[in-house]
Amino acid sequence: MISDKTLLEQAPDWIWESHHVLSLKYEKTIATLSAIRKALLQQSSRSDQASQFCEQVDWALGLPSDVVESTWRDPQAYFFARTAYDLYLAAYLEIDLPSGTRAYVDELSRTNPDCPKSLPQLFDDHLERFGLFAVSFAIAAQQSISIRPLSLDLPETLPGTCWSFSGTESLQLCGVDPDGHLGLKMNDEVINVPLPDATLQKENWAIHVAPVIGAIRLQPPAFNLPGLRDIRSVVPASVDGQAAYCRIVTETLDLIRLCDPQTAEQIDGVMQVLAMKPAGFGGVFNTSCSRLPGAAVFSGARCRAMLADDLIHEFYHNRLFAIEEQGPFFAESTSDQRWVPETVYSPWRDDPRPIYGLFHAVYVFERVLGFWISAIQGDALNADELQFGKYRASKLIGQLQISLEQLIAWGEFTDRGQTLCHWLRHTLEQRAQQCAALELGGHTTVTSMDEHGNSTAMIDKQGRFVTVAQELRRHIEIYDTNRRCEQLPRLRERFLSAMALP
């Protein structure tokens, strides 16, 4: 069996370690906007919006990189650049819009009666919104800038900063002076407003100051972007209310640093914006998005152990999205003889999933499992957290083994996908050995944890402890509607028989 050290030495660093992978989207943002600027400058004539955009990008690229890096790295910067690129190709090269940008255009058309109908006009309107970034650059560089009055889609943030706007007033942003006074236009009057240190509340509008923990801002309005239906469920959450989550986020980051310093270092370098949804909010529970690198949404007031689980999960989705931009994991089917199901069973979901989704789940949950094993081996957990951690590790190793067998049986991978799947398989073999040494497995008791960090063992109607094996088996019986697990002899022999119910 390969040791942990040997695994780390042999596995390509782009899988789990390389920080360069995490910078690719940041670099792509700048490269994409520079390319659009160059293409526009080569046109014989340009709109006013396009001319302003070219000037602003040229100016921003001349600013000290360390001063303006936080704005370039803001999740919205990548979203803006990717959308601009797609709109340019559609407007001038007649290339179809991808689904994400099509959703952006459709929502603008549906919700804004003044939305232009032609793609060139949509592209120009999008370019005008770069003014938000220009103002943020100027704030960071302590310079002044004037922009064409830009209507704010409230609530809206100044990218890369802790400030955001809300209200019912029709607000337009006109620029900023070197002293940090914003030019805001309302009712045809421009007023100068100092950037506040705390929330500035007026009658019909406000400027909010998001809590900041290290490089991370707790800022729900940062997710108010057209076309992102699921992740926007957090937008109504109060910016000022995010302060209540500072303690739990800080404790969570400290716990990850103790138990998984490699992941903690990457989170510190990559994650820019988090937002916490109060309990009872609708929409998705926890989520991240490939179009918003360095951002994630979480639900409820979670204790540090559960939030650490969630944060590691969403961070590694961010990492895998970045890796994927270097090349696909799955190849087009080349065989008419080999049967491959359209969907597979997911032990984390109540509905069948495409195999691509299961691949993402195996990658991120393997890292979550590693965190729990390290935490159990150390002394960072209290008694309740330790009991919950043993349950989580025991269940995760079972879920991952079930999922990996399906990937091996039905996945048709590119070379990169094969490399990643190979190392996931080796690492899970090592994780299984570690769980066995810690006496974790199907016999472990199912444990829940409330938002205060109190754990409770699950007991059935007969007063017996419910085991992980029983929980996994029952999930398969209920939700493996297509009986995928039964279609894999290796899975039946090695795993399902060990989970037989009494």
Side-chain angles (χ1 to χ4, degrees), residues 18 50 73 86 116 147 167-168 177 274 281 359 400 407-408 482:
S18 169
R73 285 188 177 274
D86 293 341
I147 63 173
T168 57
D177 67 23
L274 304 181
F281 259 50
F359 187 75
L400 286 163
L407 291 178
I408 292 171
N482 296 315

Side-chain angles (χ1 to χ4, degrees), residues 286 302 305-313 347-348 361 364-373 375-376 381 384-400 435 440-441 444-449 468 471-472:
N286 303 320
R302 316 278 284 166
M306 297 177 75
L307 186 55
D309 189 305
D310 294 338
L311 179 53
I312 293 169
H313 175 129
W348 294 281
V364 302
F365 279 116
E366 188 282 324
R367 295 285 94 181
V368 176
L369 173 59
F371 161 79
W372 283 118
I373 290 174
I376 293 165
L381 303 180
D384 285 292
E385 292 168 339
L386 181 60
Q387 184 178 347
F388 179 74
K390 288 180 176 180
Y391 158 64
R392 282 295 288 152
S394 299
K395 186 175 181 180
L396 281 168
I397 191 63
Q399 291 171 313
L400 286 163
C435 286
L440 305 174
T444 303
T445 301
V446 173
T447 302
S448 63
M449 179 172 272
V468 166
E471 186 177 47
L472 291 174

Side-chain angles (χ1 to χ4, degrees), residues 13-16 18-28 73 78 82 266 270-271 288-294 314-329 356 360 363-364 416 420:
D13 66 359
W14 57 262
I15 297 179
W16 291 299
S18 169
H19 285 237
H20 176 66
V21 167
L22 301 169
S23 297
L24 289 175
K25 290 198 171 187
Y26 159 65
E27 295 169 1
K28 185 176 286 189
R73 285 188 177 274
Y78 177 85
R82 182 167 176 172
Q266 295 183 62
V270 173
M271 301 306 288
S288 51
C289 175
S290 63
R291 288 177 169 258
L292 287 177
E314 295 303 338
F315 164 73
Y316 277 102
H317 272 307
N318 269 259
R319 183 177 179 90
L320 194 56
F321 289 141
I323 296 172
E324 197 170 13
E325 291 212 358
Q326 300 176 67
F329 300 129
Y356 168 80
H360 256 264
Y363 178 83
V364 302
R416 289 175 62 79
L420 183 48

Side-chain angles (χ1 to χ4, degrees), residues 83-312:
T83 304
Y85 177 77
D86 293 341
L87 289 172
Y88 177 83
L89 294 182
Y92 294 106
L93 300 180
E94 298 183 354
I95 295 177
D96 290 340
L97 290 171
S99 59
T101 306
R102 170 53 62 189
Y104 171 89
V105 171
D106 288 347
E107 183 173 337
L108 287 178
S109 301
R110 185 173 62 252
T111 59
N112 182 2
D114 298 324
C115 179
K117 303 303 180 183
S118 76
L119 283 171
Q121 289 175 315
L122 276 169
F123 175 63
D124 283 343
D125 277 10
H126 183 71
L127 292 183
E128 187 168 25
R129 299 200 62 76
F130 191 73
L132 280 169
F133 296 91
V135 170
S136 293
F137 288 131
I139 292 170
Q142 296 183 325
Q143 295 188 19
S144 62
I145 192 170
S146 295
I147 63 173
R148 290 162 51 98
L150 176 64
S151 295
L152 298 177
D153 181 18
L154 302 176
E156 183 140 45
T157 64
L158 284 173
T161 79
C162 60
W163 293 289
S164 63
F165 307 91
S166 71
T168 57
E169 184 74 61
S170 178
L171 285 180
Q172 291 181 303
L173 181 63
C174 301
V176 65
D177 67 23
D179 296 323
H181 292 73
L182 294 175
L184 295 177
K185 185 176 182 180
M186 58 193 78
N187 299 322
D188 296 324
E189 179 185 0
V190 177
I191 61 173
N192 292 319
V193 181
L195 286 166
D197 295 324
T199 294
L200 174 66
Q201 182 68 57
K202 298 295 185 180
E203 183 177 356
N204 296 320
W205 59 276
I207 300 177
H208 301 272
V209 182
V212 179
I213 302 169
I216 295 174
R217 305 186 302 279
L218 303 183
Q219 198 171 41
F223 298 89
N224 188 26
L225 296 165
L228 302 183
R229 183 184 62 183
D230 289 340
I231 210 165
R232 288 175 72 191
S233 61
V234 76
V235 171
S238 165
V239 179
D240 300 327
Q242 297 292 296
Y245 300 100
C246 287
R247 178 187 59 81
I248 193 67
V249 173
T250 301
E251 291 178 355
T252 297
L253 292 170
D254 288 343
L255 180 62
I256 297 173
R257 290 188 187 102
L258 279 173
C259 302
D260 190 351
Q262 180 184 337
T263 296
E265 183 180 3
Q266 295 183 62
I267 290 174
D268 288 340
V270 173
M271 301 306 288
Q272 302 288 312
V273 179
L274 304 181
M276 311 296 285
K277 290 197 294 185
F281 259 50
V284 292
F285 194 69
N286 303 320
T287 189
S288 51
C289 175
S290 63
R291 288 177 169 258
L292 287 177
V297 169
F298 303 97
S299 293
R302 316 278 284 166
C303 65
R304 68 169 192 168
M306 297 177 75
L307 186 55
D309 189 305
D310 294 338
L311 179 53
I312 293 169

Side-chain angles (χ1 to χ4, degrees), residues 66-85:
D66 59 329
V67 172
V68 296
E69 183 177 2
S70 63
T71 303
W72 284 122
R73 285 188 177 274
D74 187 276
Q76 289 193 39
Y78 177 85
F79 180 90
F80 178 91
R82 182 167 176 172
T83 304
Y85 177 77

